[in-house]
Amino acid sequence: MPEKNMIRLGVAISISLLLVAVIAVFFLNLAHSFSGNTEPGDVRDIIHILDGTEWKLDRNGRKEFESLFALDPPAGLRIEREGDDALEFIFGNLSATVAWHEGYLKGVLNGREFSVSISRSHTGEGEAVSVFSGESVIIFFR
């Protein structure tokens, strides 16, 4: 291989490695900044906001619910407040207490621990309550 081509190949490899390193550092910093931890004061606000709300579950969500919890899936979710730092998640005729624990909202249903995340679209029109356990995610929406 001529010397010019070797130099070009070396420069191309160096630039590629630099770009990969910059992208990796960016995504590691991004992941670190969104740790998911919630402050206790924020949790109390979230609990008051969610009190009395009702959420729907689509067909895919029902399949995921049945697979995850080994229970008949509900049509939706109703949330009621239990004091200042806990919620009752009512899945049809089943219920689970969800409380703030180590920076996350957590609960247990049919012996399976789960975490909860609340999200809103950037336009503010759509809202969702997501239930996470392992690699499974069940999304309840309004």
Side-chain angles (χ1 to χ4, degrees):
M1 199 177 230
E3 192 174 320
K4 275 187 169 180
N5 288 343
M6 291 296 284
I7 292 173
R8 286 182 184 167
L9 181 61
V11 169
I13 290 173
S14 298
I15 291 172
S16 295
L17 289 174
L18 179 64
L19 287 174
V20 168
V22 168
I23 291 170
V25 168
F26 171 75
F27 280 106
L28 287 173
N29 285 335
L30 185 64
H32 180 67
S33 67
F34 291 105
S35 65
N37 285 344
T38 307
E39 296 299 319
D42 296 339
V43 171
R44 288 185 182 96
D45 292 341
I46 290 169
I47 287 171
H48 286 283
I49 290 169
L50 291 178
D51 184 27
T53 59
E54 294 192 19
W55 305 82
K56 300 174 189 171
L57 188 60
D58 64 10
R59 189 166 71 167
N60 292 335
R62 284 192 285 278
K63 286 180 186 177
E64 192 67 35
F65 185 94
E66 186 174 25
S67 172
L68 177 62
F69 296 115
L71 296 167
D72 289 333
L77 164 67
R78 191 173 80 237
I79 300 174
E80 294 180 4
R81 185 175 63 152
E82 286 188 356
D84 285 336
D85 56 0
L87 294 164
E88 182 176 11
F89 275 40
I90 303 166
F91 305 100
N93 59 355
L94 306 166
S95 67
T97 299
V98 173
W100 183 74
H101 180 68
E102 296 178 355
Y104 298 93
L105 286 170
K106 293 185 177 184
V108 176
L109 182 63
N110 200 27
R112 184 82 186 237
E113 185 177 301
F114 63 89
S115 299
V116 176
S117 173
I118 293 85
S119 58
R120 178 178 282 164
S121 70
H122 68 280
T123 61
E125 295 174 10
E127 295 177 310
V129 171
S130 302
V131 173
F132 300 90
S133 184
E135 294 182 13
S136 299
V137 179
I138 304 166
I139 300 174
F140 294 88
F141 59 93
R142 286 206 212 211

